[in-house]
Amino acid sequence: MTEGLVKRIDHLDQREWLRVGGCGVAWLVPLLLLVALAAVDLTTGERFRVVSWIVLVPSVAAALCGVGTTVVFALLSLATYVAVDTAFPDPYRAGNADFVLVALGGALAVVAAELRARRERREGHMRDIAETTRRTVLRPLPPGWAGLEHAGVYLAADTDARVGGDFYDIQPGPHGTRVLVGDVQGKGLGAVETAAALLGTFREAAYHEPDLATVADRLEIRMYRHRGHTAALGRYDGERFATAVLLGFSERHGDTVEVINFGHEAPLAVGPHGVRPLPGTERLPIGFGHLTGDLAGGLTGDPAGGPANTPSDTPAEAPMAVPAPELHPDETLLVVTDGVTEARDRSGEFYALVRELDRAVTRDPGRAAPDRLVRAVRDGVLRHTRGRLADDTTVFAVRRLPDASG
C-alpha cells in the first residue's frame, strides 16, 4: 500500500488532457484551427482576408504535437494557403509575400517542436534519475511488512525534484520491528545524502541492537560522522540536523510501542475513539545530542576535525526513558513531517491536523485504517494549501496486523 500511495502525480504531461480513450487527440486543435481559418476566409469574401493567419496553425501544432505531426501541419498549411488564395481573383490574392510568411512560420514551428521534444526527453531522463534516487532512499515496503499494516505518501514541494530530505522505513529484526520517520533540515542533494546515511545506519542498527536507545545513539553517531565527512570534502554546510521519530514494536509486548522523539512532532494514535499524542523519550534533533549528553558516552570535537568524530571517554548521562505507552489494537500510529503541521492557506492559517483527524474518525471510524488515514491527511493538506506546498511533506501510518499482536 505504501508504494501505491507514495507515487504522487508530480508531473503530468502537458498534453495529457488532450487524450480520449488513451489515444492522443492533440492534432485536432491545429486541424480545427486550419479548417476554421480556411472557412472564414472563403465565406467573408474579398474584403476580409485571413488566409495569412494560417501561419498560426503549425505554431499551435508545435506546442501540442510531436515533430512529425508539426511537419505535416506545416505542409498542410502551405497547401491550404495556395488552394484558398487561388480561389480569389488576382486583385484580391494575398500573394507570394504571405506564402513566404506561412512557409517560414512552418519551418520555425518544426524547429520549435524539435527543441521542445529534446527538452522533454531531457526532463524525462532527469525525472527517471530522481525516481531512482527516491526508490533508493525510500525503498518500497512490501504489504504487511514485519507484521505491520502501513501506508505512506511523500509530496515534494518541488514537483520536478520528486525527492528531498524526508525519510521513513520499517526494519524487522530479532528484537522486534523498528520504524523510523524523519525530516532532514535543508533541501537539495545534501539533505538527500544525509537521509540516505541515516536510513542505512537505521537498517543495520535496528536489526542488530536489542535496545532501541542504542539504535538512537547509532543514528546520532552517524550524523556526526557524516557531517565530518562532508566537511573534509569541503562541502560543510553548517550544523545539519534531522528531526525524527523512532518507534519500537516488541513481539513480547504487543500492546505497547516504544517511542524516541528527536525533536519531531509527536506521533498520533488515531482510532475510533479519537486522536491522542503518544508520549515518548524526548531527545534533541539528530546531530545535537552531543550538546546535552543525549548520547551515552558523548561526542567531542569539531565535525570537520577527523579523529574528533568519535565517542569521548567522558561518560554522559543518558536521557531518562519514558515507559512504552499502550497502543490499542484498533489505533493507527500516524507520523507526519512539518510539511503537514506548517502547511498554510492563503490567509496564513496553519492546517489543523488533530482537529481534522478527530472530525474524520468521528464521522467514519474506518478512516483510522492506515491507507485511508494517509489519504485523508494528504488530501486535506492539498486542499488547505490549494496544492502550493511550501515544504516537502511526508505522511506515514502504521498499525499492527491482527495476527501480529500478542
Side-chain angles (χ1 to χ4, degrees):
M1 184 61 68
T2 300
E3 183 64 12
L5 285 175
V6 77
K7 292 181 178 178
R8 179 189 176 201
I9 303 177
D10 291 319
H11 179 86
L12 290 175
D13 190 281
Q14 63 180 356
R15 300 178 302 280
E16 190 67 23
W17 60 278
L18 288 170
R19 301 183 71 85
V20 176
C23 299
V25 293
W27 54 271
L28 279 176
V29 178
L31 179 61
L32 292 175
L33 179 61
L34 179 63
V35 172
L37 289 173
V40 169
D41 193 68
L42 289 172
T43 56
T44 54
E46 300 89 352
R47 297 181 181 179
F48 187 69
R49 298 299 311 281
V50 296
V51 68
S52 59
W53 293 10
I54 288 178
V55 70
L56 298 175
V57 172
S59 300
V60 173
L64 299 177
C65 307
V67 178
T69 304
T70 303
V71 172
V72 170
F73 274 106
L75 297 175
L76 189 58
S77 297
L78 278 176
T80 303
Y81 174 87
V82 172
V84 172
D85 198 40
T86 55
F88 288 85
D90 287 342
Y92 301 103
R93 291 180 180 176
N96 292 332
D98 285 357
F99 175 83
V100 173
L101 175 65
V102 174
L104 181 60
L108 292 176
V110 172
V111 173
E114 174 62 28
L115 292 176
R116 195 208 73 217
R118 290 183 182 180
R119 186 187 70 249
E120 289 181 352
R121 287 194 295 268
R122 183 169 60 252
E123 291 176 351
H125 179 62
M126 295 304 295
R127 288 195 300 274
D128 289 342
I129 293 175
E131 180 68 13
T132 301
T133 303
R134 184 193 66 79
R135 290 176 63 87
T136 300
V137 176
L138 302 179
R139 63 177 181 177
L141 298 175
W145 181 237
L148 296 179
E149 182 183 0
H150 57 81
V153 63
Y154 169 74
L155 308 178
D158 181 357
T159 57
D160 287 329
R162 285 195 173 190
V163 66
D166 290 4
F167 57 90
Y168 59 81
D169 200 9
I170 299 175
Q171 181 59 57
H175 309 291
T177 298
R178 276 72 186 265
V179 177
L180 180 67
V181 183
D183 178 11
V184 175
Q185 168 265 339
K187 298 181 182 297
L189 292 178
V192 177
E193 185 180 14
T194 302
L198 291 175
L199 283 174
T201 296
F202 166 73
R203 289 161 186 164
E204 289 301 309
Y207 181 87
H208 292 288
E209 299 294 344
D211 187 5
L212 193 67
T214 306
V215 178
D217 292 345
R218 297 298 183 192
L219 293 173
E220 187 68 48
I221 293 171
R222 186 68 183 94
M223 175 66 84
Y224 201 76
R225 292 175 56 208
H226 177 73
R227 290 203 308 233
H229 178 259
T230 55
L233 292 174
R235 295 190 284 113
Y236 184 62
D237 52 1
E239 295 290 324
R240 189 180 293 278
F241 62 89
T243 63
V245 172
L246 180 61
L247 305 172
F249 293 86
S250 171
E251 295 181 356
R252 292 178 299 174
H253 307 286
D255 57 345
T256 62
V257 56
E258 193 174 357
V259 180
I260 297 179
N261 193 326
F262 296 94
H264 199 82
E265 295 287 339
L268 299 175
V270 183
H273 303 293
V275 182
R276 60 187 178 95
L278 215 61
T281 302
E282 297 291 336
R283 291 194 177 204
L284 288 180
I286 302 174
F288 292 151
H290 62 290
L291 299 179
T292 60
D294 278 356
L295 176 61
L299 287 172
T300 61
D302 186 345
N309 299 332
T310 57
S312 72
D313 294 329
T314 303
E317 183 180 353
M320 183 177 296
V322 174
E326 183 178 354
L327 186 66
H328 302 147
D330 56 357
E331 286 185 318
T332 296
L333 262 182
L334 176 70
V335 185
V336 302
T337 59
D338 55 9
V340 174
T341 55
E342 297 180 6
R344 297 172 183 256
D345 60 12
R346 288 186 174 181
S347 65
E349 182 180 352
F350 288 108
Y351 177 66
L353 174 63
V354 175
R355 183 186 66 195
E356 294 299 323
L357 286 179
D358 193 62
R359 289 177 179 176
V361 296
T362 299
R363 290 192 302 265
D364 179 12
R367 188 67 64 89
D371 57 339
R372 298 187 63 190
L373 190 60
V374 166
R375 286 192 178 97
V377 176
R378 176 198 62 186
D379 296 344
V381 170
L382 291 177
R383 280 194 305 268
H384 187 75
T385 62
R386 298 191 177 185
R388 299 180 179 89
L389 299 175
D391 196 4
D392 295 341
T393 301
T394 293
V395 186
F396 193 71
V398 293
R399 74 176 176 187
R400 285 184 179 273
L401 291 170
D403 57 357
S405 60

